[in-house]
Amino acid sequence: MAEAAKRLVRSVVAGAPALASATVQYSRPRLATFWKYARVELSPPTPGEIPVAVESFKGLVASFKAGSYKQITVKDSMRNALVATEVLMWFYIGEVIGRGSLIGYNV
């Protein structure tokens, strides 16, 4: 039994450099794509973008008051519900990370 464990460890150690090389080769283009979009999408808003966001929100409130939400399709409403759920879940994840534990939450 000990001999089998030794052989397993030797084979894992011998294959580790090849596995690491394959992982780096696989991940490099994907990480480049991720960082390309992360620089744009995860950056904070510039001072010039804030008035645009305020006007967009005012337009959203005006269209809600006018009743245009009644004309939305089921597909779009489900998509909006999924986006809202995602935002809510990220908020909860941030709360748990901020607290450092799940204690105090009804999970």
Side-chain angles (χ1 to χ4, degrees), residues 2-63:
E3 190 62 37
K6 286 180 185 178
R7 278 191 308 236
L8 177 65
V9 169
R10 280 190 205 124
S11 67
V12 168
V13 170
L19 180 63
S21 175
T23 302
V24 168
Q25 185 179 6
Y26 177 81
S27 300
R28 187 167 282 141
R30 286 159 183 81
L31 284 173
T33 303
F34 169 77
W35 284 117
K36 178 180 131 183
Y37 290 116
R39 283 187 198 100
V40 175
E41 297 294 329
L42 299 178
S43 64
T46 62
E49 293 174 337
I50 292 174
V52 174
V54 169
E55 288 301 318
S56 175
F57 184 72
K58 286 181 183 177
L60 182 67
V61 170
S63 67

Side-chain angles (χ1 to χ4, degrees), residues 72 74-88:
I72 195 166
V74 173
K75 183 178 180 180
D76 287 340
S77 63
M78 287 303 296
R79 186 180 303 136
N80 292 341
L82 286 173
V83 169
T85 303
E86 180 185 8
V87 170
L88 187 64

